[in-house]
Amino acid sequence: MTMDRYVITGKQRLEGKIRTSGAKNASLPLLAATLLASGRSNLLEIPHLADIEHMIEVLQYLGAEVAFNKEGLIVDSSNLKCWEVDENLMRQMRASNLILGPMLARNGRVRISRPGGCAIGSRPMDQHIKGLQELGVKVKERHGYIEAWADELRGADVYFDVPSVGATENVMMAAVLAKGTTLIHNAAREPEIVDLQNFLNKMGAKVRGAGMDILRIDGVTQLKPTEHTVIPDRIEAGTHMIAAVMTQGDIEVENVIPEHLEPVIAKLRQIGAKVQIGDDAVRVRRTGRIKGVDCKTMPYPGFPTDMQPQFMALLAMAEETSVITETIFENRFQHVDELRRMGAQITIEGRTAIIRGVENLEGAFVEATDLRAGAALFLAALAAEDATVLEKVGHIDRGYENLEEKYRQIGAKLTRVKS
C-alpha cells in the first residue's frame, strides 16, 4: 500500500459535475463469478482500484487470464490450473474469500488461508462456511487455512443468523451449479447482490429474489461467459454528495442509481441540504448552516455503515448536537481521534458517538486508518480552514478511483505527494 499523502487547501467551494465510477463492492463478486464458466467474460465499468488489482492477482494465480481493454475487463477462465491460493495474496484483502463458492461449484475443491484482517472490526467466516456446508461441502480448518471440498453440491435450505453480504454471495455462486433448488433465508439485500444475480442469470443461472430476504436458486448444469456492466458505486456517490454540503457547494453527481442512495438522501434533506433527483444523477446544494440529526447504521436498506465516517465529518460542522450509533462494526470510530485534531467535538460511548457541531474545522496533520475513515478526513480537509496534510492515502485508493483528478475539476485545491 502506498504511503503517499495529500496536501489539501480547505474552504474552496466545490461546484460542477462529478462522475461516479463502477461499484467496488459489486465488482469483486462479479470477478469471482467469472470462475464459474469456461471462456471469456467481459465486465464493463470495473474501476481501477487497489482492491480490484488484488482480486485480479488471485484470479491469475488460479490460472485465469485477465486484461483491461478500452471498455472494461476481459477475464478468460478456460484454463484454471490450481485450486489453492497463495497465503500472501489472501492476506491482502478480505473479499478474496469470495472465490470459495465459485471454485467449489467449478472444481469441487478449494484451499485458502483465512483472509486478511480488517481495521474496522472482525468479519467472521462462520456464516460462509455454515451456508456452504448445507450444500454438502466438507470443510477442514487447520493452521489458519480453510480447505473445502464436495463430490457433489446439492440444493438446500440455508438460514443465515445475520444477513451477511459476502456469505450470501458465496452461497449464491456455489448454488447456481448445485443439483436441485437452494433457498437462502435472511439473505443480505444490498444492491450489489442484485447486480450479482443479474450477472449470474446472464450466464444462464436461475436466480431470483435478490433485494428481498429470501433468494431462490434453481441449479443448472453449466454456465456460459457473458458481458455485463457493473452498477455505479453508491458509497462513492454518497461521498460526493456530502462534499457538496460540507463546502457550501453545488455538485451534480452523475452515473448514480438514486434508489440505492435513499437513506443518504433522506438524511441530507433532514440536515437542510437541497437534493434534486434525476434519472441517473443527483444534484446537491447547500446555502445555510447544517442542522444536527441522529443516525443509526443498519444493513441495507438502512443507513450504510460505509457512509458513517463521512457523515460524522459533516455533522461535526452542524449547528446542534448529533448522535450516531454504529451497529455493524465494533471498531468503526477510528476516524474520531483524527477529526478531533481538526477541532471536531466528538465523545464516544460504546458504539455511540455524540457530536457537538463547531462552526469551523481547522487544518491539521491527520492519518487515514482505513478506507472510509480516509474519505471522512478528505471531506473534512476540503471544508477546513487552512491546509491539511492527510497521510496514508493508500487506504483511500482502495475504494476511490481518480479521486484527486475528479475533485480538481470541481474546484478543489490538492496535491498528492509521493512517499
Side-chain angles (χ1 to χ4, degrees):
M1 182 179 292
T2 77
M3 291 297 169
D4 295 1
R5 58 175 60 165
Y6 282 144
V7 181
I8 301 167
T9 306
K11 284 280 183 245
Q12 308 295 317
R13 183 174 186 269
L14 301 184
E15 57 183 314
K17 295 183 176 183
I18 193 164
R19 188 177 191 278
T20 310
S21 298
K24 171 182 87 101
N25 289 339
S27 299
L28 294 167
L30 294 180
L31 283 166
T34 61
L35 295 169
L36 289 163
S38 179
R40 295 173 57 150
S41 286
N42 192 12
L43 296 175
L44 309 180
E45 297 272 349
I46 297 280
H48 289 257
L49 299 169
D51 276 8
I52 300 292
E53 291 297 333
H54 290 322
M55 190 57 126
I56 288 171
E57 284 173 23
V58 169
L59 298 184
Q60 288 170 329
Y61 190 89
L62 293 167
E65 291 176 28
V66 188
F68 272 104
N69 62 12
K70 276 204 288 287
E71 286 83 43
L73 190 68
I74 305 277
V75 183
D76 187 340
S77 54
S78 305
N79 302 307
L80 298 186
K81 61 178 192 282
C82 70
W83 51 275
E84 54 185 312
V85 180
D86 178 69
E87 181 178 6
N88 293 331
L89 277 179
M90 290 298 299
R91 288 195 171 282
Q92 288 179 30
M93 183 185 59
R94 289 285 329 165
S96 49
N97 62 21
L98 291 171
I99 65 162
L100 269 177
M103 285 297 286
L104 284 163
R106 170 90 181 263
N107 241 7
R109 192 172 187 191
V110 63
R111 183 173 186 255
I112 62 170
S113 70
R114 280 192 165 271
C118 186
I120 55 175
S122 64
R123 304 194 188 189
M125 290 283 297
D126 57 337
Q127 298 290 308
H128 299 246
I129 291 167
K130 186 182 124 173
L132 293 168
Q133 283 172 327
E134 295 288 346
L135 303 180
V137 175
K138 295 181 175 62
V139 178
K140 190 164 72 182
E141 293 188 73
R142 295 181 61 185
H143 310 306
Y145 279 87
I146 297 168
E147 190 168 332
W149 67 97
D151 297 331
E152 179 182 75
L153 294 174
R154 297 181 307 278
D157 272 6
V158 176
Y159 293 85
F160 287 132
D161 301 326
V162 289
S164 156
V165 176
T168 301
E169 290 166 344
N170 248 330
V171 174
M172 268 172 91
M173 290 188 279
V176 287
L177 290 173
K179 256 197 176 153
T181 297
T182 299
L183 292 175
I184 302 177
H185 301 264
N186 200 19
R189 298 167 57 186
E190 271 71 1
E192 293 77 14
I193 306 274
V194 180
D195 205 32
L196 178 60
Q197 169 182 280
N198 293 342
F199 180 56
L200 293 171
N201 288 346
K202 282 186 195 173
M203 295 172 86
K206 292 182 176 170
V207 185
R208 59 183 193 269
M212 321 280 241
D213 56 2
I214 298 183
L215 274 168
R216 180 187 170 112
I217 302 138
D218 295 308
V220 297
T221 53
Q222 196 182 347
L223 296 176
K224 60 184 191 306
T226 188
E227 181 173 290
H228 182 75
T229 304
V230 67
I231 54 171
D233 195 308
R234 61 197 170 98
I235 305 302
E236 184 198 333
T239 304
H240 301 329
M241 290 158 67
I242 289 178
V245 183
M246 288 186 72
T247 63
Q248 299 203 13
D250 182 350
I251 298 176
E252 185 171 341
V253 186
E254 300 180 314
N255 188 36
V256 299
I257 299 173
E259 294 86 331
H260 295 173
L261 292 159
E262 278 171 2
V264 177
I265 290 169
K267 284 292 168 196
L268 288 178
R269 284 181 169 155
Q270 254 182 295
I271 64 167
K274 306 269 188 295
V275 185
Q276 279 173 278
I277 299 170
D279 291 339
D280 59 357
V282 176
R283 183 182 172 196
V284 183
R285 290 171 294 149
R286 169 190 153 210
T287 44
R289 278 291 302 275
I290 304 163
K291 298 202 247 323
V293 292
D294 293 349
C295 184
K296 184 179 189 176
T297 63
M298 297 290 281
Y300 191 85
F303 191 88
T305 178
D306 278 356
M307 286 300 305
Q308 178 262 105
Q310 301 90 306
F311 210 70
M312 187 182 291
L314 169 59
L315 293 176
M317 301 171 64
E319 265 186 326
E320 304 138 10
T321 297
S322 305
V323 177
I324 291 181
T325 308
E326 172 58 62
T327 72
I328 312 289
F329 289 118
E330 66 269 26
N331 296 335
R332 197 153 219 177
F333 285 146
Q334 297 192 29
H335 44 286
V336 169
D337 285 344
E338 303 300 301
L339 286 171
R340 283 186 189 133
R341 285 174 186 240
M342 301 181 74
Q345 293 190 3
I346 304 168
T347 315
I348 300 295
E349 293 177 8
R351 287 195 171 200
T352 300
I354 299 148
I355 305 135
R356 292 174 185 80
V358 296
E359 197 145 337
N360 280 305
L361 295 173
E362 299 144 16
F365 276 82
V366 290
E367 184 179 291
T369 51
D370 61 73
L371 166 54
R372 307 303 173 187
L377 296 167
F378 179 80
L379 292 171
L382 291 170
E385 311 235 297
D386 308 318
T388 296
V389 177
L390 173 51
E391 306 267 9
K392 295 193 180 171
V393 301
H395 286 293
I396 301 175
D397 295 339
R398 286 186 43 227
Y400 294 90
E401 183 180 46
N402 299 335
L403 192 68
E404 53 262 45
E405 207 176 292
K406 287 182 180 182
Y407 272 78
R408 277 198 204 101
Q409 286 174 358
I410 55 170
K413 289 190 176 172
L414 72 154
T415 312
R416 185 173 180 131
V417 181
K418 296 284 181 196
S419 58

